[in-house]
Amino acid sequence: MRISFCQGLLTGAIILNLLILYYVSRAQQQMMEKRKELGRGTRRAALRGPRVTVLLREFENFENYVGDVANSFLRQRPELPFLAVADLSPYPPLVLPEGARLLVLSPSPDQPPQAHRPEFHVQTEFVLLVPDGVELEQPRAIERLIRELEGEGGGPVRLVAAPVLARAAVQCLHLRVNLREWTATYSPAASGSSGSVCTALQGDAIVLIRTEDLFNLSVPLGRPLFSSLFVQTALRGWKVKLLENPCFSANHRPLFSSAHNQWKADTRLKEATGKLMRSFGLKRLLLPDGKEQWYGCSKETPRCFGTVQEDTPDYLYLDRWTPPCCLRALRETTKYVINILESSGVRYWLEGGSLLGAIRHQDIIPWDYDVDLGIYLEDVPNCDHLKNLDSGSLVDANGYVWERAVEGDFYRVQYSEANHLHVDLWPFYSRNGVMTKDTWTEHKQDVEFPEHFLQPLVPMPFAGITAYGPNNHRAFLELKFGEGVIENPQYPNPAKKSDENILTITGS
């Protein structure tokens, strides 16, 4: 049977319509399934509750915008928990909107301990750390931060940040914390592009972190918040990702309405930073602009460690080395003493561990706690600071204390009356070509030695100056300490405290 042209055309049209109907029906079915899945996801999210707690930690009692910040977030996202955290109950009291709560960290004898522990008050997966005065204008901005953090998949990026639109831009920094040397070093990171990754931030920013990560820190909500947070995260190898967008607005800038209130805030920030750094055992901060901040001892305060027992200062038991403030004081005292000895015509040389430090580091040994110089006994009358020290002590015009040491027949120059970091001067005299003295200590390096090591004395760099030492330093040191002493550093009393990593750490 032959099919006419019209019949073929009609058959083709029917088949085409059936195909169109099939694909339209399939597309409608897929769309309905997606809507159902979206509805199920929405219901699951509603059952699960909000994923983020907004937490405001940094604010001043005497002037703040905590209530405005809470209103801004809750107006856009009323389902989000909002928590303001203070060390003590604020005065005047905070006025917070419904949905916002205040947590006071200081314990109270009439309440259970969990009442003051923030980890019991945050039930969400994430915490959003916000500064005072910030406002939420884009409700979906928080989800953008969550997606960014989840996209990192649990790698080294454990925090995500967004800038606050203020006068000063947020800066990405590299932070290296060396607890052994009591030092934190900040340096500028590469100029910011979207998604800059670094280890610390400077400036106003909003930071998102997983709740579990935050409360696994030793001090999760220390103040200043960013200083505390990034010191701890840097030590764990975590990084922060700074986004260009979304941005959060800050209409309340500057935060303080008067110069007096700004001064109060700056003073409290300085005090809080000092307290935090001392609690973390950080005594020196190197800032991105090259400046230094010190939180250790000074000429007006006692030194950072007490009486040394069995040649092992307490900081070695903490797996730390000499605090940098103490090394600075020792360098200053050494430079001062050597200048006076040289100008007085007193022959001196680097002794013991100080000579070892000069050979290994051109500086004081990183774990040493004093400086030793040998001097010619016959030159003592040349120095006004030494010749009258048979009894008592002399505080000179620059605050250094010169005295005959109570431990034996030698001299000691202390950094100040308050700070007893010191340089010891050991007087020797020549007898038949051998340098000797009348009293000896129990230190193994305190032995006689041929005078030819001092003829001549040779200059060498030490602690930022040029000092003098024996002419054959290797033979001199091996006579006193034993063979291989230069290449094999160790702590003063290895029987009490040793460190197998010294060779690797010092690069000797």
Side-chain angles (χ1 to χ4, degrees), residues 338-361:
I338 285 178
N339 181 60
I340 288 178
L341 294 179
E342 291 180 347
S343 63
S344 302
V346 176
R347 290 166 290 175
Y348 74 91
W349 60 93
L350 293 170
E351 262 287 352
S354 299
L355 180 60
L356 269 174
I359 302 307
R360 291 188 192 138
H361 314 281

mmCIF file with all atom_site columns, all heavy atoms in Angstrom, residues 338-361:
data_model
loop_
_atom_site.group_PDB
_atom_site.id
_atom_site.type_symbol
_atom_site.label_atom_id
_atom_site.label_alt_id
_atom_site.label_comp_id
_atom_site.label_asym_id
_atom_site.label_entity_id
_atom_site.label_seq_id
_atom_site.pdbx_PDB_ins_code
_atom_site.Cartn_x
_atom_site.Cartn_y
_atom_site.Cartn_z
_atom_site.occupancy
_atom_site.B_iso_or_equiv
_atom_site.pdbx_formal_charge
_atom_site.auth_seq_id
_atom_site.auth_comp_id
_atom_site.auth_asym_id
_atom_site.auth_atom_id
_atom_site.pdbx_PDB_model_num
ATOM 1   N N   . ILE A 1 338 ? 82.258 47.101 78.304 1.00 0.00 ? 338 ILE A N   1
ATOM 2   C CA  . ILE A 1 338 ? 83.439 47.023 77.441 1.00 0.00 ? 338 ILE A CA  1
ATOM 3   C C   . ILE A 1 338 ? 83.948 48.406 77.088 1.00 0.00 ? 338 ILE A C   1
ATOM 4   O O   . ILE A 1 338 ? 85.171 48.659 77.044 1.00 0.00 ? 338 ILE A O   1
ATOM 5   C CB  . ILE A 1 338 ? 83.113 46.189 76.186 1.00 0.00 ? 338 ILE A CB  1
ATOM 6   C CG1 . ILE A 1 338 ? 83.066 44.708 76.564 1.00 0.00 ? 338 ILE A CG1 1
ATOM 7   C CG2 . ILE A 1 338 ? 84.116 46.442 75.074 1.00 0.00 ? 338 ILE A CG2 1
ATOM 8   C CD1 . ILE A 1 338 ? 82.709 43.783 75.413 1.00 0.00 ? 338 ILE A CD1 1
ATOM 9   N N   . ASN A 1 339 ? 83.056 49.340 76.855 1.00 0.00 ? 339 ASN A N   1
ATOM 10  C CA  . ASN A 1 339 ? 83.469 50.712 76.548 1.00 0.00 ? 339 ASN A CA  1
ATOM 11  C C   . ASN A 1 339 ? 84.260 51.317 77.710 1.00 0.00 ? 339 ASN A C   1
ATOM 12  O O   . ASN A 1 339 ? 85.300 51.978 77.518 1.00 0.00 ? 339 ASN A O   1
ATOM 13  C CB  . ASN A 1 339 ? 82.243 51.562 76.227 1.00 0.00 ? 339 ASN A CB  1
ATOM 14  C CG  . ASN A 1 339 ? 82.612 52.988 75.873 1.00 0.00 ? 339 ASN A CG  1
ATOM 15  O OD1 . ASN A 1 339 ? 83.340 53.233 74.922 1.00 0.00 ? 339 ASN A OD1 1
ATOM 16  N ND2 . ASN A 1 339 ? 82.102 53.942 76.647 1.00 0.00 ? 339 ASN A ND2 1
ATOM 17  N N   . ILE A 1 340 ? 83.804 51.058 78.946 1.00 0.00 ? 340 ILE A N   1
ATOM 18  C CA  . ILE A 1 340 ? 84.510 51.594 80.118 1.00 0.00 ? 340 ILE A CA  1
ATOM 19  C C   . ILE A 1 340 ? 85.857 50.895 80.306 1.00 0.00 ? 340 ILE A C   1
ATOM 20  O O   . ILE A 1 340 ? 86.876 51.538 80.596 1.00 0.00 ? 340 ILE A O   1
ATOM 21  C CB  . ILE A 1 340 ? 83.622 51.466 81.366 1.00 0.00 ? 340 ILE A CB  1
ATOM 22  C CG1 . ILE A 1 340 ? 82.470 52.472 81.287 1.00 0.00 ? 340 ILE A CG1 1
ATOM 23  C CG2 . ILE A 1 340 ? 84.434 51.659 82.645 1.00 0.00 ? 340 ILE A CG2 1
ATOM 24  C CD1 . ILE A 1 340 ? 81.507 52.418 82.433 1.00 0.00 ? 340 ILE A CD1 1
ATOM 25  N N   . LEU A 1 341 ? 85.895 49.585 80.117 1.00 0.00 ? 341 LEU A N   1
ATOM 26  C CA  . LEU A 1 341 ? 87.159 48.869 80.256 1.00 0.00 ? 341 LEU A CA  1
ATOM 27  C C   . LEU A 1 341 ? 88.181 49.361 79.231 1.00 0.00 ? 341 LEU A C   1
ATOM 28  O O   . LEU A 1 341 ? 89.355 49.586 79.565 1.00 0.00 ? 341 LEU A O   1
ATOM 29  C CB  . LEU A 1 341 ? 86.931 47.366 80.097 1.00 0.00 ? 341 LEU A CB  1
ATOM 30  C CG  . LEU A 1 341 ? 86.088 46.667 81.167 1.00 0.00 ? 341 LEU A CG  1
ATOM 31  C CD1 . LEU A 1 341 ? 85.939 45.181 80.843 1.00 0.00 ? 341 LEU A CD1 1
ATOM 32  C CD2 . LEU A 1 341 ? 86.677 46.855 82.562 1.00 0.00 ? 341 LEU A CD2 1
ATOM 33  N N   . GLU A 1 342 ? 87.748 49.507 78.001 1.00 0.00 ? 342 GLU A N   1
ATOM 34  C CA  . GLU A 1 342 ? 88.682 49.954 76.961 1.00 0.00 ? 342 GLU A CA  1
ATOM 35  C C   . GLU A 1 342 ? 89.172 51.372 77.211 1.00 0.00 ? 342 GLU A C   1
ATOM 36  O O   . GLU A 1 342 ? 90.374 51.670 77.055 1.00 0.00 ? 342 GLU A O   1
ATOM 37  C CB  . GLU A 1 342 ? 88.014 49.852 75.588 1.00 0.00 ? 342 GLU A CB  1
ATOM 38  C CG  . GLU A 1 342 ? 87.785 48.413 75.128 1.00 0.00 ? 342 GLU A CG  1
ATOM 39  C CD  . GLU A 1 342 ? 87.128 48.313 73.768 1.00 0.00 ? 342 GLU A CD  1
ATOM 40  O OE1 . GLU A 1 342 ? 86.613 49.355 73.282 1.00 0.00 ? 342 GLU A OE1 1
ATOM 41  O OE2 . GLU A 1 342 ? 87.126 47.213 73.196 1.00 0.00 ? 342 GLU A OE2 1
ATOM 42  N N   . SER A 1 343 ? 88.259 52.253 77.618 1.00 0.00 ? 343 SER A N   1
ATOM 43  C CA  . SER A 1 343 ? 88.673 53.640 77.870 1.00 0.00 ? 343 SER A CA  1
ATOM 44  C C   . SER A 1 343 ? 89.538 53.756 79.117 1.00 0.00 ? 343 SER A C   1
ATOM 45  O O   . SER A 1 343 ? 90.301 54.727 79.275 1.00 0.00 ? 343 SER A O   1
ATOM 46  C CB  . SER A 1 343 ? 87.437 54.534 78.005 1.00 0.00 ? 343 SER A CB  1
ATOM 47  O OG  . SER A 1 343 ? 86.643 54.152 79.117 1.00 0.00 ? 343 SER A OG  1
ATOM 48  N N   . SER A 1 344 ? 89.473 52.759 80.027 1.00 0.00 ? 344 SER A N   1
ATOM 49  C CA  . SER A 1 344 ? 90.266 52.783 81.257 1.00 0.00 ? 344 SER A CA  1
ATOM 50  C C   . SER A 1 344 ? 91.600 52.047 81.112 1.00 0.00 ? 344 SER A C   1
ATOM 51  O O   . SER A 1 344 ? 92.402 52.033 82.053 1.00 0.00 ? 344 SER A O   1
ATOM 52  C CB  . SER A 1 344 ? 89.471 52.156 82.410 1.00 0.00 ? 344 SER A CB  1
ATOM 53  O OG  . SER A 1 344 ? 88.257 52.834 82.620 1.00 0.00 ? 344 SER A OG  1
ATOM 54  N N   . GLY A 1 345 ? 91.812 51.400 79.980 1.00 0.00 ? 345 GLY A N   1
ATOM 55  C CA  . GLY A 1 345 ? 93.046 50.658 79.789 1.00 0.00 ? 345 GLY A CA  1
ATOM 56  C C   . GLY A 1 345 ? 93.057 49.323 80.490 1.00 0.00 ? 345 GLY A C   1
ATOM 57  O O   . GLY A 1 345 ? 94.125 48.828 80.884 1.00 0.00 ? 345 GLY A O   1
ATOM 58  N N   . VAL A 1 346 ? 91.895 48.706 80.669 1.00 0.00 ? 346 VAL A N   1
ATOM 59  C CA  . VAL A 1 346 ? 91.806 47.377 81.283 1.00 0.00 ? 346 VAL A CA  1
ATOM 60  C C   . VAL A 1 346 ? 91.725 46.332 80.169 1.00 0.00 ? 346 VAL A C   1
ATOM 61  O O   . VAL A 1 346 ? 90.810 46.363 79.341 1.00 0.00 ? 346 VAL A O   1
ATOM 62  C CB  . VAL A 1 346 ? 90.570 47.271 82.206 1.00 0.00 ? 346 VAL A CB  1
ATOM 63  C CG1 . VAL A 1 346 ? 90.445 45.852 82.758 1.00 0.00 ? 346 VAL A CG1 1
ATOM 64  C CG2 . VAL A 1 346 ? 90.663 48.282 83.329 1.00 0.00 ? 346 VAL A CG2 1
ATOM 65  N N   . ARG A 1 347 ? 92.703 45.434 80.116 1.00 0.00 ? 347 ARG A N   1
ATOM 66  C CA  . ARG A 1 347 ? 92.704 44.362 79.128 1.00 0.00 ? 347 ARG A CA  1
ATOM 67  C C   . ARG A 1 347 ? 91.630 43.317 79.506 1.00 0.00 ? 347 ARG A C   1
ATOM 68  O O   . ARG A 1 347 ? 91.554 42.896 80.653 1.00 0.00 ? 347 ARG A O   1
ATOM 69  C CB  . ARG A 1 347 ? 94.082 43.710 79.056 1.00 0.00 ? 347 ARG A CB  1
ATOM 70  C CG  . ARG A 1 347 ? 95.171 44.599 78.428 1.00 0.00 ? 347 ARG A CG  1
ATOM 71  C CD  . ARG A 1 347 ? 96.549 44.025 78.698 1.00 0.00 ? 347 ARG A CD  1
ATOM 72  N NE  . ARG A 1 347 ? 96.905 44.142 80.116 1.00 0.00 ? 347 ARG A NE  1
ATOM 73  C CZ  . ARG A 1 347 ? 98.021 43.634 80.653 1.00 0.00 ? 347 ARG A CZ  1
ATOM 74  N NH1 . ARG A 1 347 ? 98.869 42.963 79.893 1.00 0.00 ? 347 ARG A NH1 1
ATOM 75  N NH2 . ARG A 1 347 ? 98.265 43.784 81.942 1.00 0.00 ? 347 ARG A NH2 1
ATOM 76  N N   . TYR A 1 348 ? 90.844 42.921 78.538 1.00 0.00 ? 348 TYR A N   1
ATOM 77  C CA  . TYR A 1 348 ? 89.747 41.977 78.780 1.00 0.00 ? 348 TYR A CA  1
ATOM 78  C C   . TYR A 1 348 ? 89.657 41.016 77.604 1.00 0.00 ? 348 TYR A C   1
ATOM 79  O O   . TYR A 1 348 ? 90.182 41.260 76.514 1.00 0.00 ? 348 TYR A O   1
ATOM 80  C CB  . TYR A 1 348 ? 88.412 42.722 78.961 1.00 0.00 ? 348 TYR A CB  1
ATOM 81  C CG  . TYR A 1 348 ? 87.890 43.261 77.648 1.00 0.00 ? 348 TYR A CG  1
ATOM 82  C CD1 . TYR A 1 348 ? 87.034 42.490 76.853 1.00 0.00 ? 348 TYR A CD1 1
ATOM 83  C CD2 . TYR A 1 348 ? 88.272 44.512 77.178 1.00 0.00 ? 348 TYR A CD2 1
ATOM 84  C CE1 . TYR A 1 348 ? 86.580 42.957 75.632 1.00 0.00 ? 348 TYR A CE1 1
ATOM 85  C CE2 . TYR A 1 348 ? 87.832 44.980 75.965 1.00 0.00 ? 348 TYR A CE2 1
ATOM 86  C CZ  . TYR A 1 348 ? 86.990 44.193 75.188 1.00 0.00 ? 348 TYR A CZ  1
ATOM 87  O OH  . TYR A 1 348 ? 86.553 44.655 73.972 1.00 0.00 ? 348 TYR A OH  1
ATOM 88  N N   . TRP A 1 349 ? 88.940 39.920 77.790 1.00 0.00 ? 349 TRP A N   1
ATOM 89  C CA  . TRP A 1 349 ? 88.652 38.981 76.713 1.00 0.00 ? 349 TRP A CA  1
ATOM 90  C C   . TRP A 1 349 ? 87.345 38.252 77.017 1.00 0.00 ? 349 TRP A C   1
ATOM 91  O O   . TRP A 1 349 ? 86.934 38.126 78.164 1.00 0.00 ? 349 TRP A O   1
ATOM 92  C CB  . TRP A 1 349 ? 89.799 37.976 76.556 1.00 0.00 ? 349 TRP A CB  1
ATOM 93  C CG  . TRP A 1 349 ? 90.074 37.142 77.775 1.00 0.00 ? 349 TRP A CG  1
ATOM 94  C CD1 . TRP A 1 349 ? 89.580 35.907 78.082 1.00 0.00 ? 349 TRP A CD1 1
ATOM 95  C CD2 . TRP A 1 349 ? 90.907 37.502 78.875 1.00 0.00 ? 349 TRP A CD2 1
ATOM 96  N NE1 . TRP A 1 349 ? 90.036 35.472 79.284 1.00 0.00 ? 349 TRP A NE1 1
ATOM 97  C CE2 . TRP A 1 349 ? 90.873 36.431 79.801 1.00 0.00 ? 349 TRP A CE2 1
ATOM 98  C CE3 . TRP A 1 349 ? 91.698 38.632 79.194 1.00 0.00 ? 349 TRP A CE3 1
ATOM 99  C CZ2 . TRP A 1 349 ? 91.569 36.441 81.006 1.00 0.00 ? 349 TRP A CZ2 1
ATOM 100 C CZ3 . TRP A 1 349 ? 92.396 38.637 80.384 1.00 0.00 ? 349 TRP A CZ3 1
ATOM 101 C CH2 . TRP A 1 349 ? 92.331 37.557 81.275 1.00 0.00 ? 349 TRP A CH2 1
ATOM 102 N N   . LEU A 1 350 ? 86.698 37.832 75.960 1.00 0.00 ? 350 LEU A N   1
ATOM 103 C CA  . LEU A 1 350 ? 85.468 37.049 76.109 1.00 0.00 ? 350 LEU A CA  1
ATOM 104 C C   . LEU A 1 350 ? 85.821 35.695 76.703 1.00 0.00 ? 350 LEU A C   1
ATOM 105 O O   . LEU A 1 350 ? 86.740 35.014 76.247 1.00 0.00 ? 350 LEU A O   1
ATOM 106 C CB  . LEU A 1 350 ? 84.770 36.865 74.761 1.00 0.00 ? 350 LEU A CB  1
ATOM 107 C CG  . LEU A 1 350 ? 84.206 38.140 74.123 1.00 0.00 ? 350 LEU A CG  1
ATOM 108 C CD1 . LEU A 1 350 ? 83.766 37.845 72.690 1.00 0.00 ? 350 LEU A CD1 1
ATOM 109 C CD2 . LEU A 1 350 ? 83.051 38.692 74.935 1.00 0.00 ? 350 LEU A CD2 1
ATOM 110 N N   . GLU A 1 351 ? 85.060 35.310 77.710 1.00 0.00 ? 351 GLU A N   1
ATOM 111 C CA  . GLU A 1 351 ? 85.317 34.071 78.431 1.00 0.00 ? 351 GLU A CA  1
ATOM 112 C C   . GLU A 1 351 ? 84.167 33.077 78.256 1.00 0.00 ? 351 GLU A C   1
ATOM 113 O O   . GLU A 1 351 ? 83.011 33.474 77.998 1.00 0.00 ? 351 GLU A O   1
ATOM 114 C CB  . GLU A 1 351 ? 85.496 34.351 79.924 1.00 0.00 ? 351 GLU A CB  1
ATOM 115 C CG  . GLU A 1 351 ? 86.938 34.451 80.390 1.00 0.00 ? 351 GLU A CG  1
ATOM 116 C CD  . GLU A 1 351 ? 87.633 33.095 80.431 1.00 0.00 ? 351 GLU A CD  1
ATOM 117 O OE1 . GLU A 1 351 ? 86.960 32.056 80.250 1.00 0.00 ? 351 GLU A OE1 1
ATOM 118 O OE2 . GLU A 1 351 ? 88.863 33.072 80.639 1.00 0.00 ? 351 GLU A OE2 1
ATOM 119 N N   . GLY A 1 352 ? 84.476 31.792 78.436 1.00 0.00 ? 352 GLY A N   1
ATOM 120 C CA  . GLY A 1 352 ? 83.469 30.743 78.578 1.00 0.00 ? 352 GLY A CA  1
ATOM 121 C C   . GLY A 1 352 ? 82.386 30.752 77.515 1.00 0.00 ? 352 GLY A C   1
ATOM 122 O O   . GLY A 1 352 ? 82.624 30.802 76.313 1.00 0.00 ? 352 GLY A O   1
ATOM 123 N N   . GLY A 1 353 ? 81.130 30.709 78.003 1.00 0.00 ? 353 GLY A N   1
ATOM 124 C CA  . GLY A 1 353 ? 79.992 30.650 77.093 1.00 0.00 ? 353 GLY A CA  1
ATOM 125 C C   . GLY A 1 353 ? 79.851 31.887 76.228 1.00 0.00 ? 353 GLY A C   1
ATOM 126 O O   . GLY A 1 353 ? 79.311 31.809 75.119 1.00 0.00 ? 353 GLY A O   1
ATOM 127 N N   . SER A 1 354 ? 80.346 33.021 76.705 1.00 0.00 ? 354 SER A N   1
ATOM 128 C CA  . SER A 1 354 ? 80.264 34.231 75.877 1.00 0.00 ? 354 SER A CA  1
ATOM 129 C C   . SER A 1 354 ? 81.170 34.123 74.663 1.00 0.00 ? 354 SER A C   1
ATOM 130 O O   . SER A 1 354 ? 80.801 34.551 73.566 1.00 0.00 ? 354 SER A O   1
ATOM 131 C CB  . SER A 1 354 ? 80.632 35.458 76.716 1.00 0.00 ? 354 SER A CB  1
ATOM 132 O OG  . SER A 1 354 ? 79.742 35.602 77.803 1.00 0.00 ? 354 SER A OG  1
ATOM 133 N N   . LEU A 1 355 ? 82.361 33.538 74.840 1.00 0.00 ? 355 LEU A N   1
ATOM 134 C CA  . LEU A 1 355 ? 83.239 33.299 73.690 1.00 0.00 ? 355 LEU A CA  1
ATOM 135 C C   . LEU A 1 355 ? 82.610 32.276 72.748 1.00 0.00 ? 355 LEU A C   1
ATOM 136 O O   . LEU A 1 355 ? 82.661 32.435 71.517 1.00 0.00 ? 355 LEU A O   1
ATOM 137 C CB  . LEU A 1 355 ? 84.610 32.820 74.170 1.00 0.00 ? 355 LEU A CB  1
ATOM 138 C CG  . LEU A 1 355 ? 85.628 32.520 73.072 1.00 0.00 ? 355 LEU A CG  1
ATOM 139 C CD1 . LEU A 1 355 ? 85.906 33.763 72.232 1.00 0.00 ? 355 LEU A CD1 1
ATOM 140 C CD2 . LEU A 1 355 ? 86.923 31.969 73.668 1.00 0.00 ? 355 LEU A CD2 1
ATOM 141 N N   . LEU A 1 356 ? 81.976 31.251 73.299 1.00 0.00 ? 356 LEU A N   1
ATOM 142 C CA  . LEU A 1 356 ? 81.264 30.289 72.458 1.00 0.00 ? 356 LEU A CA  1
ATOM 143 C C   . LEU A 1 356 ? 80.183 30.986 71.626 1.00 0.00 ? 356 LEU A C   1
ATOM 144 O O   . LEU A 1 356 ? 80.011 30.709 70.434 1.00 0.00 ? 356 LEU A O   1
ATOM 145 C CB  . LEU A 1 356 ? 80.620 29.217 73.331 1.00 0.00 ? 356 LEU A CB  1
ATOM 146 C CG  . LEU A 1 356 ? 81.428 27.956 73.632 1.00 0.00 ? 356 LEU A CG  1
ATOM 147 C CD1 . LEU A 1 356 ? 80.673 27.086 74.627 1.00 0.00 ? 356 LEU A CD1 1
ATOM 148 C CD2 . LEU A 1 356 ? 81.713 27.188 72.360 1.00 0.00 ? 356 LEU A CD2 1
ATOM 149 N N   . GLY A 1 357 ? 79.443 31.878 72.266 1.00 0.00 ? 357 GLY A N   1
ATOM 150 C CA  . GLY A 1 357 ? 78.406 32.615 71.546 1.00 0.00 ? 357 GLY A CA  1
ATOM 151 C C   . GLY A 1 357 ? 78.984 33.464 70.432 1.00 0.00 ? 357 GLY A C   1
ATOM 152 O O   . GLY A 1 357 ? 78.422 33.548 69.333 1.00 0.00 ? 357 GLY A O   1
ATOM 153 N N   . ALA A 1 358 ? 80.136 34.109 70.701 1.00 0.00 ? 358 ALA A N   1
ATOM 154 C CA  . ALA A 1 358 ? 80.766 34.947 69.672 1.00 0.00 ? 358 ALA A CA  1
ATOM 155 C C   . ALA A 1 358 ? 81.182 34.105 68.477 1.00 0.00 ? 358 ALA A C   1
ATOM 156 O O   . ALA A 1 358 ? 81.031 34.536 67.322 1.00 0.00 ? 358 ALA A O   1
ATOM 157 C CB  . ALA A 1 358 ? 81.967 35.669 70.275 1.00 0.00 ? 358 ALA A CB  1
ATOM 158 N N   . ILE A 1 359 ? 81.710 32.905 68.709 1.00 0.00 ? 359 ILE A N   1
ATOM 159 C CA  . ILE A 1 359 ? 82.154 32.056 67.606 1.00 0.00 ? 359 ILE A CA  1
ATOM 160 C C   . ILE A 1 359 ? 80.973 31.484 66.842 1.00 0.00 ? 359 ILE A C   1
ATOM 161 O O   . ILE A 1 359 ? 80.968 31.442 65.614 1.00 0.00 ? 359 ILE A O   1
ATOM 162 C CB  . ILE A 1 359 ? 83.046 30.912 68.146 1.00 0.00 ? 359 ILE A CB  1
ATOM 163 C CG1 . ILE A 1 359 ? 84.247 31.485 68.904 1.00 0.00 ? 359 ILE A CG1 1
ATOM 164 C CG2 . ILE A 1 359 ? 83.502 30.016 67.010 1.00 0.00 ? 359 ILE A CG2 1
ATOM 165 C CD1 . ILE A 1 359 ? 85.053 32.504 68.137 1.00 0.00 ? 359 ILE A CD1 1
ATOM 166 N N   . ARG A 1 360 ? 79.935 31.052 67.560 1.00 0.00 ? 360 ARG A N   1
ATOM 167 C CA  . ARG A 1 360 ? 78.795 30.403 66.896 1.00 0.00 ? 360 ARG A CA  1
ATOM 168 C C   . ARG A 1 360 ? 77.822 31.403 66.272 1.00 0.00 ? 360 ARG A C   1
ATOM 169 O O   . ARG A 1 360 ? 77.308 31.185 65.175 1.00 0.00 ? 360 ARG A O   1
ATOM 170 C CB  . ARG A 1 360 ? 78.021 29.540 67.894 1.00 0.00 ? 360 ARG A CB  1
ATOM 171 C CG  . ARG A 1 360 ? 78.742 28.308 68.380 1.00 0.00 ? 360 ARG A CG  1
ATOM 172 C CD  . ARG A 1 360 ? 77.757 27.475 69.191 1.00 0.00 ? 360 ARG A CD  1
ATOM 173 N NE  . ARG A 1 360 ? 78.414 26.416 69.943 1.00 0.00 ? 360 ARG A NE  1
ATOM 174 C CZ  . ARG A 1 360 ? 78.094 26.103 71.186 1.00 0.00 ? 360 ARG A CZ  1
ATOM 175 N NH1 . ARG A 1 360 ? 77.156 26.786 71.824 1.00 0.00 ? 360 ARG A NH1 1
ATOM 176 N NH2 . ARG A 1 360 ? 78.714 25.110 71.796 1.00 0.00 ? 360 ARG A NH2 1
ATOM 177 N N   . HIS A 1 361 ? 77.528 32.469 66.993 1.00 0.00 ? 361 HIS A N   1
ATOM 178 C CA  . HIS A 1 361 ? 76.430 33.359 66.601 1.00 0.00 ? 361 HIS A CA  1
ATOM 179 C C   . HIS A 1 361 ? 76.844 34.820 66.422 1.00 0.00 ? 361 HIS A C   1
ATOM 180 O O   . HIS A 1 361 ? 76.003 35.642 66.034 1.00 0.00 ? 361 HIS A O   1
ATOM 181 C CB  . HIS A 1 361 ? 75.313 33.320 67.663 1.00 0.00 ? 361 HIS A CB  1
ATOM 182 C CG  . HIS A 1 361 ? 74.928 31.962 68.132 1.00 0.00 ? 361 HIS A CG  1
ATOM 183 N ND1 . HIS A 1 361 ? 74.118 31.121 67.415 1.00 0.00 ? 361 HIS A ND1 1
ATOM 184 C CD2 . HIS A 1 361 ? 75.246 31.277 69.270 1.00 0.00 ? 361 HIS A CD2 1
ATOM 185 C CE1 . HIS A 1 361 ? 73.947 29.979 68.079 1.00 0.00 ? 361 HIS A CE1 1
ATOM 186 N NE2 . HIS A 1 361 ? 74.621 30.052 69.205 1.00 0.00 ? 361 HIS A NE2 1
#
